[in-house]
Amino acid sequence: MIDTFDLIVKLTAAFGPSGQETEISRVISDLARPYADEISSDTLGNLIVHRKGSGPKLMFATHMDSIGLVVTYFEEDGTLRFGKLGGISPKEIINAPIRFSNGVMGAVKVHGKADEDKLSLDDLYLDIGAGSRGEAQSMVRLGDTAVYATVSMRAGNRIISPYLDNRVSCAVLLKALERLKKTEYDLYVVFTVQEELGLRGAKTAAYGIDPDFAIAVDVTGAYDYPGAPKAGSAVLGGGAAIKVMDSSVICHSAMVEKMSDLARQQSIKAQQDVLTRGGTDAGAIHQSRLGVVTGGISIPCRHSHTPTSIADLSDVESCIKLVTAFTENK
Ligand SMILES: [Zn+2]
């Protein structure tokens, strides 16, 4: 497989807003094939990579969908009104370049009379270069979705990219699959859909697989930049973040302890992830059926859901090592 940075670049470039995961699913499926006994997808579109083992069942879940913008109305002048798929802050997307799956490009702009301190999505519009409603309607359809068209860049040992949430975690699990020598677990690596809309794919995947243990791999907020709110403990460069809690889950103490022990024994740089907002697929999985013993491994990420999120490649490497270590040590 290509190196980690190039892999993240490739994954972040694939189209895949919530509910439209066909392209990203195909890219991941091609990359995972050499390391899988079986690859399937379920009704909602979750991509399930199965590596057979004697058991118990271990399920990793990482969402492959991204946030996005959805066309809701065509103005007479050819501009578009839009809604959001997932959490988007209006002020953070002004001037962002965007693209639709059919290649139509555009930019997010703000209405000249808007009060910039109280912005809502109603104050924003998309300019796709159309001069009239008819022309715009010939380019995109109502309900079409767009994603940020910013590109991934390397900045020292960091990566700046539009969709580290959550393609960086997809890269972590693909790399772990590549490195994994042997496992006794009956291993399911699930690339889930529609996480950004409320953990929808993880819910059905967990029900279907019925795992004994589960680990959600996702980004976590790193609030270590100027003026950041005190909303979480993780910092860039602090290593793999072992999830203790977020607003969707209190992780099972046995999982937190096992991961912390493994990190210590194998000298994997790690930190605790205590987050007072946000959620991950762990939130849905641990409540599946009669409950699942669930933990989380998080990649610290600044400015998630903006066109330029930032992560540290050494943290990514620590997360790959921790996933691999956990899977190889029953
Ligand atoms: Zn996420």
PDB file of all heavy atoms in Angstrom, residues 63 165-166 195-196 218-219 279 305, ligand 1:
ATOM      1  N   HIS A  63     -16.125   5.741  10.456  1.00  0.00           N
ATOM      2  CA  HIS A  63     -17.063   6.200   9.424  1.00  0.00           C
ATOM      3  C   HIS A  63     -16.326   6.736   8.207  1.00  0.00           C
ATOM      4  O   HIS A  63     -15.273   7.354   8.315  1.00  0.00           O
ATOM      5  CB  HIS A  63     -18.064   7.211   9.985  1.00  0.00           C
ATOM      6  CG  HIS A  63     -17.520   8.561  10.344  1.00  0.00           C
ATOM      7  ND1 HIS A  63     -17.492   9.604   9.453  1.00  0.00           N
ATOM      8  CD2 HIS A  63     -17.010   9.058  11.500  1.00  0.00           C
ATOM      9  CE1 HIS A  63     -17.006  10.678  10.051  1.00  0.00           C
ATOM     10  NE2 HIS A  63     -16.694  10.367  11.286  1.00  0.00           N
ATOM     11  N   ASP A 165     -11.638  14.260   9.253  1.00  0.00           N
ATOM     12  CA  ASP A 165     -12.823  13.603   9.834  1.00  0.00           C
ATOM     13  C   ASP A 165     -13.644  13.046   8.674  1.00  0.00           C
ATOM     14  O   ASP A 165     -14.403  13.770   8.059  1.00  0.00           O
ATOM     15  CB  ASP A 165     -13.607  14.612  10.664  1.00  0.00           C
ATOM     16  CG  ASP A 165     -14.820  14.012  11.340  1.00  0.00           C
ATOM     17  OD1 ASP A 165     -14.980  12.781  11.284  1.00  0.00           O
ATOM     18  OD2 ASP A 165     -15.611  14.778  11.920  1.00  0.00           O
ATOM     19  N   ASN A 166     -13.509  11.785   8.245  1.00  0.00           N
ATOM     20  CA  ASN A 166     -12.851  10.821   9.081  1.00  0.00           C
ATOM     21  C   ASN A 166     -11.917   9.945   8.244  1.00  0.00           C
ATOM     22  O   ASN A 166     -11.609   8.837   8.594  1.00  0.00           O
ATOM     23  CB  ASN A 166     -13.914   9.974   9.790  1.00  0.00           C
ATOM     24  CG  ASN A 166     -13.336   9.109  10.858  1.00  0.00           C
ATOM     25  OD1 ASN A 166     -12.323   9.439  11.458  1.00  0.00           O
ATOM     26  ND2 ASN A 166     -13.928   7.956  11.047  1.00  0.00           N
ATOM     27  N   GLU A 195     -22.472   8.499   9.638  1.00  0.00           N
ATOM     28  CA  GLU A 195     -22.141   8.806  11.045  1.00  0.00           C
ATOM     29  C   GLU A 195     -22.466  10.257  11.359  1.00  0.00           C
ATOM     30  O   GLU A 195     -22.970  10.589  12.430  1.00  0.00           O
ATOM     31  CB  GLU A 195     -20.651   8.530  11.313  1.00  0.00           C
ATOM     32  CG  GLU A 195     -20.253   8.644  12.787  1.00  0.00           C
ATOM     33  CD  GLU A 195     -19.755  10.026  13.202  1.00  0.00           C
ATOM     34  OE1 GLU A 195     -19.644  10.951  12.359  1.00  0.00           O
ATOM     35  OE2 GLU A 195     -19.499  10.205  14.405  1.00  0.00           O
ATOM     36  N   GLU A 196     -22.167  11.128  10.397  1.00  0.00           N
ATOM     37  CA  GLU A 196     -22.326  12.566  10.641  1.00  0.00           C
ATOM     38  C   GLU A 196     -23.788  12.965  10.826  1.00  0.00           C
ATOM     39  O   GLU A 196     -24.082  14.072  11.253  1.00  0.00           O
ATOM     40  CB  GLU A 196     -21.696  13.374   9.492  1.00  0.00           C
ATOM     41  CG  GLU A 196     -20.194  13.159   9.312  1.00  0.00           C
ATOM     42  CD  GLU A 196     -19.350  13.774  10.418  1.00  0.00           C
ATOM     43  OE1 GLU A 196     -19.921  14.330  11.377  1.00  0.00           O
ATOM     44  OE2 GLU A 196     -18.116  13.675  10.341  1.00  0.00           O
ATOM     45  N   ASP A 218     -11.962   7.309  15.285  1.00  0.00           N
ATOM     46  CA  ASP A 218     -12.469   8.574  14.743  1.00  0.00           C
ATOM     47  C   ASP A 218     -11.505   9.679  15.165  1.00  0.00           C
ATOM     48  O   ASP A 218     -10.616   9.451  15.995  1.00  0.00           O
ATOM     49  CB  ASP A 218     -13.878   8.835  15.313  1.00  0.00           C
ATOM     50  CG  ASP A 218     -14.735   9.740  14.412  1.00  0.00           C
ATOM     51  OD1 ASP A 218     -14.168  10.613  13.719  1.00  0.00           O
ATOM     52  OD2 ASP A 218     -15.963   9.564  14.413  1.00  0.00           O
ATOM     53  N   VAL A 219     -11.704  10.859  14.619  1.00  0.00           N
ATOM     54  CA  VAL A 219     -10.927  11.991  15.119  1.00  0.00           C
ATOM     55  C   VAL A 219     -11.557  12.461  16.432  1.00  0.00           C
ATOM     56  O   VAL A 219     -12.717  12.191  16.706  1.00  0.00           O
ATOM     57  CB  VAL A 219     -10.888  13.161  14.114  1.00  0.00           C
ATOM     58  CG1 VAL A 219     -10.207  12.746  12.827  1.00  0.00           C
ATOM     59  CG2 VAL A 219     -12.284  13.698  13.842  1.00  0.00           C
ATOM     60  N   GLY A 279     -19.547  13.087  19.302  1.00  0.00           N
ATOM     61  CA  GLY A 279     -19.778  11.662  19.508  1.00  0.00           C
ATOM     62  C   GLY A 279     -19.137  10.881  18.383  1.00  0.00           C
ATOM     63  O   GLY A 279     -18.659  11.467  17.414  1.00  0.00           O
ATOM     64  N   HIS A 305     -14.380  19.583  10.527  1.00  0.00           N
ATOM     65  CA  HIS A 305     -15.581  20.086   9.830  1.00  0.00           C
ATOM     66  C   HIS A 305     -15.359  21.435   9.139  1.00  0.00           C
ATOM     67  O   HIS A 305     -16.291  22.015   8.625  1.00  0.00           O
ATOM     68  CB  HIS A 305     -16.800  20.166  10.755  1.00  0.00           C
ATOM     69  CG  HIS A 305     -17.297  18.811  11.203  1.00  0.00           C
ATOM     70  ND1 HIS A 305     -18.568  18.595  11.658  1.00  0.00           N
ATOM     71  CD2 HIS A 305     -16.695  17.602  11.241  1.00  0.00           C
ATOM     72  CE1 HIS A 305     -18.723  17.317  11.970  1.00  0.00           C
ATOM     73  NE2 HIS A 305     -17.582  16.700  11.728  1.00  0.00           N
TER      74      HIS A 305
HETATM   75 ZN    ZN B   1     -16.034  11.803  12.669  1.00  0.00          ZN
END
